[in-house]
Amino acid sequence: MQLWKRCRILANSGRLEMIACLDKHPRLHVKALADRLGVAEDVASKNLQLLAQAGFLDQERKGKYLYYWLVQDDRLLRSVMNEFGPKTEIEDIIFQLTGFTHERRLAIVSVLSQGMQAFDALCRRTRISPMAMRRQLEKLERRRYVVCEGHEYRLAEPASDLGRALMDITRSDFTLAQV
């Protein structure tokens, strides 16, 4: 699944709470997780299915119960989990993730990873219209992933491990052919 789709799935407070719960209590079945989080079973089931489809969870059926646990070798998931802590709010994690929830923003990061670019060059290389480019750049600038210097844009050094991981994954896994 593409990075922007995986980020969209993660950028949800309920699903992030499920991940945090599964980190503390591995191998829970749907009802047990729903009870721990105080949500309806059908809501828990749907969100767990989305997380599993995105590759963040493994699952196994035992009798009438479907058990879920976190995948251990997923870099994005590990980076998100490392952000959980007393100083970080779930909204802060969502804010970082939403910088990467659109394929156009991934294209911009990919092009800028090759060096500074003028606005027109960014539009041309990514095939994004000027109006759409302005919107996407605003979102990346608000999240401090992109900086404008004069009339050129460059990537910023993200302040968090999650931001650095998102940038690295985009640089290594994204190609402009995906836009």
Side-chain angles (χ1 to χ4, degrees), residues 60-105:
E60 177 183 35
R61 181 166 297 281
K62 284 192 177 182
K64 67 178 186 171
Y65 294 106
L66 185 57
Y67 288 84
Y68 288 92
W69 62 93
L70 299 173
V71 169
Q72 296 301 311
D73 61 349
D74 187 278
R75 183 172 180 202
L76 178 56
L77 180 61
R78 285 284 134 219
S79 297
V80 166
M81 290 174 54
N82 289 339
E83 290 293 304
F84 289 123
K87 295 182 180 180
T88 305
E89 299 290 328
I90 284 183
E91 291 78 24
D92 296 333
I93 296 170
I94 291 171
F95 186 72
Q96 291 180 71
L97 286 166
T98 55
F100 292 81
T101 56
H102 198 290
E103 59 191 336
R104 287 179 176 168
R105 290 192 287 276

Side-chain angles (χ1 to χ4, degrees), residues 97-146:
L97 286 166
T98 55
F100 292 81
T101 56
H102 198 290
E103 59 191 336
R104 287 179 176 168
R105 290 192 287 276
L106 298 182
I108 292 166
V109 169
S110 179
V111 168
L112 290 178
S113 70
Q114 300 164 18
M116 289 183 78
Q117 298 285 319
F119 183 84
D120 292 342
L122 265 176
C123 291
R124 190 173 50 258
R125 291 191 62 196
T126 59
R127 296 187 207 122
I128 299 173
S129 73
M131 188 166 40
M133 179 62 75
R134 282 186 189 87
R135 282 193 315 270
Q136 303 306 332
L137 283 170
E138 279 179 21
K139 290 179 183 181
L140 289 167
E141 285 179 291
R142 272 197 311 270
R143 287 159 180 82
R144 297 192 175 119
Y145 292 125
V146 170

